[in-house]
Amino acid sequence: MRIVLTGAAGFLGSHLSERFLDEGHTVVGVDNFITGSRDNIALLQEREGFEFHLHDVSTPLFLSGPVDGILHFASPASPVDYLEYPIQTLKVGSLGTHNMLGLAREKGARFLLASTSEVYGDPAIHPQPETYWGNVNPVGPRGVYDEAKRFAEAMTSAYRSHHGLDTRIVRIFNTYGPRMRPGDGRVVSNFIVQALRGESLTLYGDGSQTRSFCYVSDLVEGIYRLFHSDCPGPVNLGNPVEFTVRELAEEILRQVVPTEAESDLKSGVENASRLRRLPLPEDDPKVRQPDITLARRELGWEPVVDLHEGLTRTIPWFRKQVNESDARARPLT
Ligand code: NAD
Ligand code: UDP
Protein backbone atom coordinates (compact mmCIF):
# COMPACT_ATOMS: atom_id res chain seq x y z
CA MET A 1 0.00 0.00 0.00
CA ARG A 2 1.05 3.62 -0.48
CA ILE A 3 0.26 5.41 2.77
CA VAL A 4 0.16 9.17 3.44
CA LEU A 5 1.00 9.97 7.04
CA THR A 6 0.49 13.57 8.17
CA GLY A 7 2.50 14.56 11.24
CA ALA A 8 5.26 12.08 10.30
CA ALA A 9 7.93 14.20 12.01
CA GLY A 10 6.12 13.93 15.33
CA PHE A 11 6.30 11.41 18.15
CA LEU A 12 3.49 9.07 17.05
CA GLY A 13 3.78 9.80 13.33
CA SER A 14 7.42 8.71 13.21
CA HIS A 15 6.74 5.43 15.04
CA LEU A 16 3.73 4.70 12.84
CA SER A 17 5.69 5.48 9.66
CA GLU A 18 8.29 2.94 10.79
CA ARG A 19 5.61 0.34 11.42
CA PHE A 20 4.10 0.72 7.95
CA LEU A 21 7.59 0.58 6.38
CA ASP A 22 8.41 -2.53 8.44
CA GLU A 23 5.29 -4.19 7.00
CA GLY A 24 6.48 -3.50 3.44
CA HIS A 25 4.29 -0.50 2.60
CA THR A 26 5.54 2.78 1.17
CA VAL A 27 5.00 5.93 3.23
CA VAL A 28 4.61 9.54 2.14
CA GLY A 29 5.34 11.62 5.25
CA VAL A 30 3.90 15.14 5.37
CA ASP A 31 4.81 17.68 8.04
CA ASN A 32 5.46 21.40 8.54
CA PHE A 33 7.70 20.86 11.63
CA ILE A 34 5.56 23.10 13.85
CA THR A 35 6.08 20.67 16.75
CA GLY A 36 7.90 17.86 14.93
CA SER A 37 11.57 16.99 14.64
CA ARG A 38 13.81 16.99 11.58
CA ASP A 39 15.79 14.16 13.21
CA ASN A 40 12.73 11.90 13.00
CA ILE A 41 12.44 12.58 9.26
CA ALA A 42 16.19 12.08 8.78
CA LEU A 43 15.84 8.62 10.39
CA LEU A 44 12.89 7.72 8.17
CA GLN A 45 14.68 8.96 5.06
CA GLU A 46 17.31 6.27 5.61
CA ARG A 47 14.57 3.73 4.94
CA GLU A 48 13.60 2.48 1.52
CA GLY A 49 10.01 3.34 0.64
CA PHE A 50 9.83 6.65 2.50
CA GLU A 51 9.37 10.05 0.89
CA PHE A 52 8.83 13.39 2.60
CA HIS A 53 6.79 16.48 1.74
CA LEU A 54 7.32 19.66 3.74
CA HIS A 55 3.77 21.01 3.74
CA ASP A 56 1.19 22.64 6.02
CA VAL A 57 -1.85 20.38 5.62
CA SER A 58 -4.18 23.23 6.57
CA THR A 59 -3.70 24.19 2.93
CA PRO A 60 -4.67 21.71 0.16
CA LEU A 61 -2.18 19.00 -0.74
CA PHE A 62 -1.89 17.65 -4.28
CA LEU A 63 -0.03 14.38 -4.72
CA SER A 64 0.61 12.50 -7.91
CA GLY A 65 0.18 8.74 -8.11
CA PRO A 66 -2.08 6.37 -6.23
CA VAL A 67 -2.75 6.58 -2.48
CA ASP A 68 -4.31 3.65 -0.61
CA GLY A 69 -4.50 5.06 2.90
CA ILE A 70 -4.22 8.38 4.73
CA LEU A 71 -3.49 8.56 8.46
CA HIS A 72 -4.09 12.11 9.66
CA PHE A 73 -1.87 12.68 12.71
CA ALA A 74 -0.81 16.29 12.12
CA SER A 75 -1.73 18.50 15.07
CA PRO A 76 0.02 20.02 18.06
CA ALA A 77 -0.81 17.53 20.82
CA SER A 78 0.71 18.69 24.09
CA PRO A 79 -1.31 21.27 26.07
CA VAL A 80 1.77 23.55 26.12
CA ASP A 81 2.02 23.29 22.30
CA TYR A 82 -1.63 23.85 21.50
CA LEU A 83 -1.82 26.79 23.88
CA GLU A 84 1.18 28.30 22.06
CA TYR A 85 -0.41 27.62 18.64
CA PRO A 86 -4.16 27.91 19.24
CA ILE A 87 -5.15 29.08 15.73
CA GLN A 88 -2.88 26.57 13.95
CA THR A 89 -4.39 23.82 16.13
CA LEU A 90 -7.94 24.81 15.21
CA LYS A 91 -6.94 25.05 11.55
CA VAL A 92 -5.20 21.67 11.30
CA GLY A 93 -8.11 19.94 13.06
CA SER A 94 -10.72 21.60 10.81
CA LEU A 95 -9.19 22.71 7.48
CA GLY A 96 -6.41 20.12 7.68
CA THR A 97 -8.88 17.31 8.26
CA HIS A 98 -11.10 18.58 5.44
CA ASN A 99 -8.14 18.74 3.05
CA MET A 100 -6.98 15.22 3.92
CA LEU A 101 -10.52 13.86 3.59
CA GLY A 102 -10.70 15.54 0.18
CA LEU A 103 -7.43 13.90 -0.84
CA ALA A 104 -8.70 10.51 0.38
CA ARG A 105 -11.90 10.92 -1.65
CA GLU A 106 -9.99 11.98 -4.75
CA LYS A 107 -7.68 8.95 -4.46
CA GLY A 108 -10.27 6.45 -3.23
CA ALA A 109 -8.12 5.92 -0.13
CA ARG A 110 -9.02 4.73 3.36
CA PHE A 111 -8.83 7.58 5.92
CA LEU A 112 -7.88 7.21 9.59
CA LEU A 113 -8.28 10.18 11.95
CA ALA A 114 -6.13 10.55 15.07
CA SER A 115 -8.66 11.83 17.59
CA THR A 116 -8.15 12.04 21.32
CA SER A 117 -9.49 11.27 24.78
CA GLU A 118 -9.79 15.06 25.08
CA VAL A 119 -13.11 14.83 23.20
CA TYR A 120 -14.42 13.62 26.59
CA GLY A 121 -13.14 16.83 28.28
CA ASP A 122 -13.33 16.71 32.07
CA PRO A 123 -15.39 13.52 32.05
CA ALA A 124 -18.52 13.01 34.12
CA ILE A 125 -18.49 9.28 33.29
CA HIS A 126 -15.58 7.13 34.38
CA PRO A 127 -13.99 5.17 32.75
CA GLN A 128 -14.91 6.64 29.39
CA PRO A 129 -16.68 4.43 26.80
CA GLU A 130 -16.96 5.59 23.18
CA THR A 131 -20.70 6.19 23.72
CA TYR A 132 -19.99 9.04 26.16
CA TRP A 133 -20.43 12.47 24.50
CA GLY A 134 -18.05 14.33 26.76
CA ASN A 135 -17.87 17.45 28.88
CA VAL A 136 -15.85 20.07 27.01
CA ASN A 137 -15.62 23.82 27.62
CA PRO A 138 -15.58 25.27 24.07
CA VAL A 139 -14.34 28.70 25.19
CA GLY A 140 -11.78 27.48 27.75
CA PRO A 141 -8.06 27.28 26.93
CA ARG A 142 -8.21 23.59 25.93
CA GLY A 143 -11.20 24.25 23.64
CA VAL A 144 -8.86 24.96 20.70
CA TYR A 145 -7.70 21.35 20.72
CA ASP A 146 -10.79 19.59 22.00
CA GLU A 147 -13.23 21.30 19.66
CA ALA A 148 -10.89 20.95 16.67
CA LYS A 149 -10.82 17.20 17.25
CA ARG A 150 -14.58 17.03 17.82
CA PHE A 151 -15.10 18.90 14.53
CA ALA A 152 -12.61 16.54 12.86
CA GLU A 153 -14.63 13.54 14.06
CA ALA A 154 -17.87 15.14 12.78
CA MET A 155 -16.27 15.92 9.40
CA THR A 156 -14.87 12.39 9.09
CA SER A 157 -18.31 10.92 9.94
CA ALA A 158 -19.97 13.18 7.34
CA TYR A 159 -17.55 12.05 4.61
CA ARG A 160 -18.36 8.46 5.56
CA SER A 161 -22.15 8.88 5.50
CA HIS A 162 -22.41 11.42 2.67
CA HIS A 163 -19.58 10.36 0.36
CA GLY A 164 -19.25 6.70 1.36
CA LEU A 165 -15.58 7.21 2.28
CA ASP A 166 -13.90 4.30 4.08
CA THR A 167 -12.99 5.89 7.43
CA ARG A 168 -11.63 5.01 10.88
CA ILE A 169 -11.49 7.16 14.02
CA VAL A 170 -9.16 6.38 16.91
CA ARG A 171 -9.46 8.19 20.25
CA ILE A 172 -5.95 8.07 21.66
CA PHE A 173 -5.34 8.28 25.42
CA ASN A 174 -2.07 9.61 26.93
CA THR A 175 0.78 7.83 25.18
CA TYR A 176 4.50 8.09 25.93
CA GLY A 177 7.83 6.69 24.80
CA PRO A 178 11.09 7.51 23.01
CA ARG A 179 10.97 10.46 20.57
CA MET A 180 8.67 12.64 22.66
CA ARG A 181 10.17 16.12 22.52
CA PRO A 182 11.99 16.74 25.85
CA GLY A 183 10.48 20.24 26.03
CA ASP A 184 6.96 19.39 24.88
CA GLY A 185 5.52 20.13 28.33
CA ARG A 186 3.65 16.86 28.74
CA VAL A 187 3.82 15.25 32.13
CA VAL A 188 5.96 12.22 31.22
CA SER A 189 8.57 14.28 29.35
CA ASN A 190 8.63 17.04 32.00
CA PHE A 191 9.04 14.63 34.91
CA ILE A 192 11.74 12.50 33.28
CA VAL A 193 13.80 15.51 32.16
CA GLN A 194 13.45 17.19 35.56
CA ALA A 195 14.46 14.01 37.40
CA LEU A 196 17.48 13.53 35.12
CA ARG A 197 18.59 17.13 35.66
CA GLY A 198 18.26 16.83 39.44
CA GLU A 199 15.43 19.38 39.48
CA SER A 200 12.18 19.16 41.42
CA LEU A 201 9.27 17.63 39.54
CA THR A 202 6.54 20.18 38.78
CA LEU A 203 3.36 18.71 40.24
CA TYR A 204 0.30 20.67 39.08
CA GLY A 205 -2.39 20.84 41.78
CA ASP A 206 -2.09 18.19 44.47
CA GLY A 207 -1.25 15.46 41.95
CA SER A 208 -4.44 13.52 42.69
CA GLN A 209 -5.73 13.94 39.11
CA THR A 210 -5.43 10.70 37.13
CA ARG A 211 -4.26 9.63 33.70
CA SER A 212 -3.80 6.21 32.08
CA PHE A 213 -0.45 5.96 30.31
CA CYS A 214 0.02 3.80 27.22
CA TYR A 215 3.45 2.81 25.89
CA VAL A 216 3.97 3.77 22.26
CA SER A 217 4.50 0.24 20.85
CA ASP A 218 1.12 -0.85 22.25
CA LEU A 219 -0.60 2.13 20.68
CA VAL A 220 1.06 1.60 17.30
CA GLU A 221 -0.09 -2.03 17.31
CA GLY A 222 -3.67 -0.92 18.04
CA ILE A 223 -3.67 1.71 15.30
CA TYR A 224 -2.20 -0.73 12.78
CA ARG A 225 -4.93 -3.25 13.62
CA LEU A 226 -7.66 -0.60 13.45
CA PHE A 227 -6.47 0.61 10.06
CA HIS A 228 -6.71 -2.95 8.67
CA SER A 229 -10.00 -3.77 10.40
CA ASP A 230 -13.58 -3.15 9.28
CA CYS A 231 -14.35 -1.11 12.38
CA PRO A 232 -15.04 2.57 11.64
CA GLY A 233 -14.93 3.56 15.30
CA PRO A 234 -14.53 5.78 17.12
CA VAL A 235 -12.39 3.33 19.07
CA ASN A 236 -10.59 4.15 22.32
CA LEU A 237 -6.95 3.07 22.40
CA GLY A 238 -5.04 3.47 25.63
CA ASN A 239 -3.80 1.58 28.63
CA PRO A 240 -6.71 1.16 31.07
CA VAL A 241 -4.48 1.09 34.16
CA GLU A 242 -5.03 4.43 35.89
CA PHE A 243 -2.45 6.33 37.99
CA THR A 244 -2.51 9.61 39.86
CA VAL A 245 0.00 12.14 38.57
CA ARG A 246 1.71 11.92 41.93
CA GLU A 247 2.12 8.15 41.52
CA LEU A 248 3.69 8.78 38.12
CA ALA A 249 6.14 11.25 39.70
CA GLU A 250 7.06 8.68 42.34
CA GLU A 251 7.63 5.92 39.79
CA ILE A 252 9.87 8.15 37.68
CA LEU A 253 11.90 9.27 40.72
CA ARG A 254 12.26 5.64 41.82
CA GLN A 255 13.70 4.74 38.42
CA VAL A 256 15.93 7.80 37.92
CA VAL A 257 17.18 8.49 41.47
CA PRO A 258 16.29 5.31 43.41
CA THR A 259 18.09 5.86 46.71
CA GLU A 260 17.14 9.51 47.12
CA ALA A 261 13.52 8.96 46.10
CA GLU A 262 12.44 6.53 48.83
CA SER A 263 13.37 8.64 51.84
CA ASP A 264 12.34 11.89 50.23
CA LEU A 265 8.89 10.73 49.13
CA LYS A 266 8.11 9.28 52.55
CA SER A 267 8.06 12.85 53.90
CA GLY A 268 4.75 13.46 52.06
CA VAL A 269 3.74 15.59 49.12
CA GLU A 270 4.03 18.96 50.90
CA ASN A 271 7.56 18.27 52.16
CA ALA A 272 9.15 16.11 49.47
CA SER A 273 12.00 18.20 48.12
CA ARG A 274 11.85 16.42 44.77
CA LEU A 275 8.29 17.66 44.14
CA ARG A 276 7.32 21.29 43.49
CA ARG A 277 3.65 22.18 43.68
CA LEU A 278 2.33 24.52 40.98
CA PRO A 279 -1.27 25.62 40.29
CA LEU A 280 -3.50 23.22 38.38
CA PRO A 281 -4.07 24.56 34.83
CA GLU A 282 -7.61 25.74 33.98
CA ASP A 283 -9.99 22.94 32.88
CA ASP A 284 -7.38 20.22 33.58
CA PRO A 285 -9.40 16.95 33.51
CA LYS A 286 -9.60 15.39 36.99
CA VAL A 287 -9.71 11.80 35.78
CA ARG A 288 -9.08 9.89 32.57
CA GLN A 289 -9.25 6.16 31.88
CA PRO A 290 -10.22 4.41 28.66
CA ASP A 291 -12.89 1.75 28.50
CA ILE A 292 -11.27 -0.51 25.88
CA THR A 293 -14.04 -3.12 25.61
CA LEU A 294 -14.60 -2.21 21.95
CA ALA A 295 -10.88 -2.45 21.02
CA ARG A 296 -10.62 -5.81 22.80
CA ARG A 297 -13.64 -7.18 20.95
CA GLU A 298 -13.15 -5.67 17.46
CA LEU A 299 -9.35 -5.65 17.24
CA GLY A 300 -8.36 -8.37 19.71
CA TRP A 301 -6.09 -5.66 21.13
CA GLU A 302 -4.81 -5.14 24.65
CA PRO A 303 -1.76 -3.23 25.91
CA VAL A 304 1.06 -5.49 27.09
CA VAL A 305 3.66 -2.98 28.37
CA ASP A 306 2.98 -1.74 31.90
CA LEU A 307 4.05 1.67 33.21
CA HIS A 308 7.15 0.39 34.98
CA GLU A 309 8.43 -1.39 31.88
CA GLY A 310 7.45 1.45 29.55
CA LEU A 311 9.35 4.00 31.63
CA THR A 312 12.37 1.67 31.77
CA ARG A 313 12.37 1.69 27.96
CA THR A 314 11.78 5.46 27.73
CA ILE A 315 14.19 6.97 30.27
CA PRO A 316 17.44 6.04 28.41
CA TRP A 317 16.23 7.93 25.36
CA PHE A 318 15.59 11.07 27.40
CA ARG A 319 18.96 10.62 29.15
CA LYS A 320 20.67 10.72 25.75
CA GLN A 321 18.76 13.89 24.73
CA VAL A 322 19.58 15.62 28.01
CA ASN A 323 23.28 14.66 27.82
CA GLU A 324 23.53 15.86 24.22
CA SER A 325 21.83 19.18 24.92
CA ASP A 326 23.97 19.74 28.05
CA ALA A 327 27.11 18.97 26.01
CA ARG A 328 26.03 21.51 23.36
CA ALA A 329 25.40 24.15 26.05
CA ARG A 330 28.86 23.63 27.66
CA PRO A 331 31.39 26.24 26.47
CA LEU A 332 34.44 24.81 24.68
CA THR A 333 37.66 25.13 26.66
P1 NAD B 1 3.62 15.67 17.97
O1 NAD B 1 3.52 17.13 18.27
O2 NAD B 1 4.86 14.96 18.33
O3 NAD B 1 3.36 15.41 16.43
C1 NAD B 1 2.47 16.17 15.66
C2 NAD B 1 3.10 16.40 14.30
O4 NAD B 1 2.17 17.12 13.46
C3 NAD B 1 4.36 17.28 14.38
O5 NAD B 1 5.41 16.68 13.65
C4 NAD B 1 3.93 18.59 13.76
O6 NAD B 1 4.98 19.31 13.18
C5 NAD B 1 2.88 18.13 12.76
N1 NAD B 1 1.93 19.17 12.36
C6 NAD B 1 1.16 19.93 13.17
N2 NAD B 1 0.40 20.77 12.43
C7 NAD B 1 0.71 20.53 11.13
C8 NAD B 1 0.25 21.05 9.90
N3 NAD B 1 -0.67 22.04 9.85
N4 NAD B 1 0.75 20.55 8.76
C9 NAD B 1 1.68 19.56 8.77
N5 NAD B 1 2.15 19.02 9.91
C10 NAD B 1 1.68 19.50 11.08
O7 NAD B 1 2.36 14.98 18.67
P2 NAD B 1 2.00 13.43 18.84
O8 NAD B 1 1.96 13.13 20.28
O9 NAD B 1 2.81 12.61 17.94
O10 NAD B 1 0.49 13.44 18.33
C11 NAD B 1 0.16 13.03 17.02
C12 NAD B 1 -1.35 13.00 16.84
O11 NAD B 1 -1.93 12.09 17.79
C13 NAD B 1 -2.04 14.34 17.05
O12 NAD B 1 -3.06 14.47 16.10
C14 NAD B 1 -2.60 14.23 18.44
O13 NAD B 1 -3.75 15.03 18.59
C15 NAD B 1 -2.93 12.76 18.54
N6 NAD B 1 -2.93 12.30 19.95
C16 NAD B 1 -1.75 12.07 20.60
C17 NAD B 1 -1.79 11.66 21.93
C18 NAD B 1 -0.54 11.34 22.70
O14 NAD B 1 -0.63 10.98 23.88
N7 NAD B 1 0.64 11.41 22.14
C19 NAD B 1 -3.02 11.53 22.60
C20 NAD B 1 -4.18 11.82 21.89
C21 NAD B 1 -4.13 12.19 20.57
N1 UDP C 1 1.14 17.79 34.84
C1 UDP C 1 1.90 17.99 35.98
N2 UDP C 1 3.17 18.49 35.83
C2 UDP C 1 3.71 18.78 34.63
C3 UDP C 1 2.95 18.56 33.46
C4 UDP C 1 1.66 18.07 33.60
O1 UDP C 1 1.45 17.73 37.10
O2 UDP C 1 4.88 19.22 34.60
C5 UDP C 1 -0.22 17.23 34.97
C6 UDP C 1 -1.30 17.99 34.21
O3 UDP C 1 -1.83 19.01 35.02
C7 UDP C 1 -2.30 16.89 33.94
C8 UDP C 1 -1.45 15.65 33.76
O4 UDP C 1 -0.20 15.94 34.37
O5 UDP C 1 -3.15 16.72 35.03
C9 UDP C 1 -1.22 15.23 32.31
O6 UDP C 1 -0.76 16.37 31.62
P1 UDP C 1 -0.27 16.32 30.10
O7 UDP C 1 0.14 17.72 29.74
O8 UDP C 1 0.73 15.26 29.92
O9 UDP C 1 -1.52 15.88 29.22
P2 UDP C 1 -3.12 15.99 29.37
O10 UDP C 1 -3.53 14.64 29.78
O11 UDP C 1 -3.51 17.01 30.37
O12 UDP C 1 -3.54 16.35 28.00
Side-chain angles (χ1 to χ4, degrees):
M1 282 184 159
R2 186 167 183 241
I3 301 293
V4 172
L5 224 152
T6 76
F11 163 51
L12 296 181
S14 63
H15 284 282
L16 268 170
S17 296
E18 264 180 358
R19 175 62 187 266
F20 276 89
L21 291 169
D22 288 347
E23 301 284 348
H25 305 293
T26 59
V27 174
V28 181
V30 185
D31 208 292
N32 66 351
F33 292 122
I34 189 172
T35 59
S37 146
R38 287 173 196 274
D39 290 348
N40 287 341
I41 294 301
L43 267 180
L44 290 167
Q45 278 174 328
E46 288 171 10
R47 302 278 308 259
E48 192 152 337
F50 182 80
E51 67 180 83
F52 180 64
H53 291 252
L54 175 59
H55 183 82
D56 178 347
V57 297
S58 298
T59 64
L61 174 68
F62 300 98
L63 285 177
S64 53
V67 174
D68 303 296
I70 299 181
L71 290 92
H72 181 39
F73 276 69
S75 171
S78 142
V80 168
D81 285 342
Y82 60 71
L83 294 177
E84 191 178 348
Y85 302 111
I87 312 292
Q88 290 94 328
T89 303
L90 280 158
K91 283 174 75 176
V92 74
S94 53
L95 304 175
T97 303
H98 188 207
N99 289 330
M100 292 308 103
L101 283 162
L103 182 64
R105 188 169 171 230
E106 157 77 20
K107 301 286 188 183
R110 181 173 301 164
F111 177 87
L112 183 146
L113 172 70
S115 185
T116 166
S117 55
E118 278 284 317
V119 300
Y120 302 123
D122 189 8
I125 291 187
H126 190 65
Q128 294 79 56
E130 290 84 352
T131 46
Y132 176 47
W133 292 353
N135 178 32
V136 168
N137 175 4
V139 293
R142 299 173 83 104
V144 297
Y145 181 66
D146 303 6
E147 294 297 359
K149 291 290 187 180
R150 289 169 69 95
F151 176 89
E153 288 198 11
M155 191 59 131
T156 302
S157 304
Y159 263 69
R160 183 178 185 84
S161 57
H162 194 68
H163 291 311
L165 194 74
D166 185 18
T167 61
R168 311 279 181 276
I169 297 173
V170 53
R171 290 184 180 153
I172 302 167
F173 284 64
N174 297 62
T175 300
Y176 68 99
R179 299 199 199 140
M180 295 181 89
R181 233 172 59 242
D184 81 357
R186 288 186 262 203
V187 67
V188 173
S189 23
N190 272 7
F191 283 180
I192 295 179
V193 170
Q194 289 159 349
L196 288 168
R197 292 217 152 107
E199 297 164 2
S200 298
L201 277 53
T202 50
L203 194 67
Y204 300 163
D206 63 5
S208 63
Q209 70 273 31
T210 68
R211 294 293 186 273
S212 307
F213 299 99
C214 186
Y215 187 67
V216 63
S217 59
D218 281 335
L219 184 82
V220 165
E221 178 63 31
I223 291 171
Y224 195 79
R225 286 188 194 196
L226 175 63
F227 181 80
H228 290 289
S229 77
D230 292 327
C231 178
V235 180
N236 288 340
L237 290 181
N239 191 316
V241 183
E242 185 183 16
F243 292 88
T244 66
V245 168
R246 184 185 155 87
E247 285 168 338
L248 173 73
E250 290 171 355
E251 177 62 32
I252 288 173
L253 283 173
R254 251 183 248 116
Q255 290 205 23
V256 178
V257 281
T259 44
E260 219 181 295
E262 284 311 325
S263 57
D264 187 37
L265 291 168
K266 273 196 203 115
S267 62
V269 68
E270 298 298 343
N271 302 320
S273 61
R274 295 305 304 257
L275 300 177
R276 182 156 64 98
R277 288 273 293 270
L278 291 175
L280 192 66
E282 194 180 338
D283 292 341
D284 197 281
K286 284 180 272 309
V287 289
R288 186 181 290 154
Q289 183 188 24
D291 178 334
I292 60 163
T293 309
L294 186 64
R296 279 194 182 109
R297 190 180 67 225
E298 295 295 323
L299 312 177
W301 176 84
E302 179 119 39
V304 294
V305 182
D306 67 14
L307 183 66
H308 179 82
E309 172 62 23
L311 289 173
T312 306
R313 296 186 197 180
T314 304
I315 289 167
W317 188 84
F318 277 99
R319 181 171 282 122
K320 189 164 173 281
Q321 308 305 308
V322 167
N323 289 344
E324 283 174 4
S325 94
D326 289 355
R328 276 196 299 275
R330 213 170 293 133
L332 292 175
T333 49

